[in-house]
Amino acid sequence: MILQALFQYYQRSLDEPDSMIAPRGMQHQEIPNVIVLSPEGEFVNLLILRGENGSARKFYVPRERVRSGTKSYEFPNALWDHVGFVLGYSKDDPENAKKQHASFKKLLENLIEGQADVPASVKAVRKFLKKGDYQKVFASPNWEKAIQRVGNFSFQIQGEQELVCQNPWVLSRFQTLCKEKDVRQQICLVSGLLDTPVRTHNKIKQVWGNPQRDRSLVSFNDDAFCSYGKKQSYNSPIGSNAEFAYTTALNTLLAKGSRQRMQVGDASTVFWAKEKHPIEQEILNLFADQGKDSGKDNTEAVRSLISSVKTGVYPPEDDLPFYMLGLSPNAARIAVRFWYEGTVKDFKQKVCDHFLDIEIEHGPKEFEYLSLSNLLKSTAIDNDRDKIQPNLAGEFMQSILKGTPYPRSLLPAVLRRIKAEQAKKSPDGRVYQNVTYPRASLIKGILARNARFYLQKEKEVGVSLDRENINIGYRLGRLFAVLERVQQAALGDINATIRDRFYGAASTNPVTVFPRLMKLKNYYLPKIESKGRVVNLEKEISEILAEVVSFPAHLSLEDQGRFAIGYYHERNDFFKKHDKKEGGEEE
């Protein structure tokens, strides 16, 4: 179904006037270095077609050939390629560059052989290559700049606008030469039409990973994957037309600057509708990666989405099929992290549910709706995206799209980071908060989804402080925050608070910690100067303990999450501006 949906996207894009999809047999390729020749095949100039930001100009050129292994030098592209093929130049492996260049020249001879209508531009390139004197190119003022970066070279005739490889004659001849030979036509698994199956599929580019390499989505590189004596992709007969369409569509969606791709953890994610729809341009706003440097805020986009979903009125085009695909690099091919197929209406509803589930109160300077990146980074060491658990991002996105509970590994991951950072401080001694807004938001969403999916009768945590919630975990989290407040009010700024020493134990084995903390509370209260504050703190403690019969020996994983939310809610309530002043001061 994935390949069929991509095939349909290619067919759809061909009919759109503003589409950047490549025509049959071609691809949109960066060509930063252009060798300009005279009509007689003499070197004129070497052009560098790069912008100030380093991006190269793109051209529609004949599609590149699939090559790998020890004999990759036998597969040059048609009148464009890297410098080893085009000029036989390489600092690291000159012998291999000679083989590449020989294959490049041989391909040109094969294009011309037996043809009476060879264009003059192609003949000029042939003269230049047959002469083999490239010293003028190497002596060009732009040569060092050209080889500083990895980039492709091609040819242009002086006075002409297009590259030589863009000549329709070159494309036609190249397709004829590359056509699969001695292969019986079969029914294509994607299109359902009779077509010549391809032996190897073209590579998919721009899939984020380390190391980042081009890989195939469909490939058979081991005998264990083959059957009935068939080799490589003949095991899954996909016709040349369908193979070109799906690889071109996917590479277009993944291209730099595409508005239909985003990064979700280790998954490069693309999305599209069966027909053109505004949602394709809106998703990046919904899931925008937020940060101090990015300056992005998805608040308006999410508010608009939630408002439209709550009205329950959807335009007819929202019934269109909608797709989302998450890809990650693997050893030999691209791995599909997740695949979603639904309608635009269903997608909007699921995303709306997600943002409502994770909604929790926060500071006035924080983002109203957190991005996937900010949520997932809160589970990793040092908030480092590269340290997010493998597969977690894909599973998280899949749960959002399906409306199911978030991954089971998510809650333990958040709680581990909270406990690990209970005493974390900055180099200048400033205390970091361990139950941060993103972590509280995640925990709240996890608990809300579990309650809805598993039909739990127990009252769940809300957006802000809930004094009616009698869950023992939630109550003890609130109590811990108040006891920490008592200590701070009595002693002021100190090196280690009760959170630094006791949070982990208090949230897992309350009976081992809270009796001691209650005794410490009795020691700290008389040290607070403001008697009004003492009264209010004691009232808060009494209100919390009214529903606590005893301190439990252990809290379940879910109750540890409720403990964190209770602690977060109570702390937030301390910093709110109340109309009523306590003991002559505002809290």
Side-chain angles (χ1 to χ4, degrees), residues 139-310:
S140 168
N142 286 333
W143 173 249
E144 290 299 327
K145 187 177 180 181
I147 61 173
Q148 277 179 355
R149 301 188 183 196
V150 176
N152 293 304
F153 284 70
S154 191
F155 299 95
Q156 186 179 49
I157 303 303
Q158 188 176 27
E160 295 187 3
Q161 297 297 318
E162 292 187 337
L163 303 179
V164 177
C165 63
Q166 293 181 288
N167 191 300
W169 182 92
V170 175
L171 176 62
S172 176
R173 284 292 297 147
F174 184 62
Q175 288 179 318
T176 301
L177 288 178
C178 294
K179 190 176 181 180
E180 299 283 348
K181 298 177 182 179
D182 302 322
V183 177
R184 181 173 58 86
Q185 287 195 331
Q186 299 180 48
I187 297 296
C188 173
L189 295 179
V190 175
S191 68
L193 303 175
L194 199 63
D195 199 356
T196 303
V198 293
R199 180 178 60 87
T200 55
H201 291 222
N202 210 27
K203 301 293 180 69
I204 305 302
K205 305 178 180 182
Q206 304 296 338
V207 175
W208 180 85
N210 189 21
Q212 183 172 340
R213 298 203 311 267
D214 299 342
R215 295 170 173 86
S216 296
L217 183 61
V218 179
S219 68
F220 295 78
N221 63 332
D222 199 308
D223 290 342
F225 308 141
C226 302
S227 59
Y228 298 101
K230 297 181 183 296
K231 298 294 183 181
Q232 295 184 299
S233 292
Y234 293 144
N235 284 270
S236 58
I238 295 175
S240 58
N241 287 318
E243 184 272 339
F244 174 83
Y246 96 76
T247 54
T248 302
L250 189 49
N251 278 322
T252 301
L253 290 167
L254 286 165
K256 292 179 181 178
S258 170
R259 288 283 300 173
Q260 290 175 247
R261 73 161 289 174
M262 63 181 177
Q263 198 65 37
V264 180
D266 67 340
S268 296
T269 305
V270 294
F271 39 86
W272 68 98
K274 188 173 183 180
E275 297 177 13
K276 195 169 185 178
H277 191 282
I279 194 68
E280 295 175 333
Q281 304 300 312
E282 294 169 0
I283 290 179
L284 282 186
N285 295 329
L286 292 173
F287 296 110
D289 195 6
Q290 302 156 315
K292 293 181 180 179
D293 298 328
S294 67
K296 293 179 180 177
D297 189 350
N298 62 351
T299 301
E300 290 305 318
V302 178
R303 281 178 180 169
S304 177
L305 174 70
I306 293 175
S307 176
S308 65
V309 171
K310 284 184 175 179

Side-chain angles (χ1 to χ4, degrees), residues 27-46:
Q27 70 182 53
H28 212 204
Q29 181 67 43
E30 288 188 350
I31 307 287
N33 311 304
V34 175
I35 300 170
V36 181
L37 303 177
S38 70
E40 293 75 29
E42 296 295 328
F43 174 76
V44 176
N45 196 8
L46 175 61

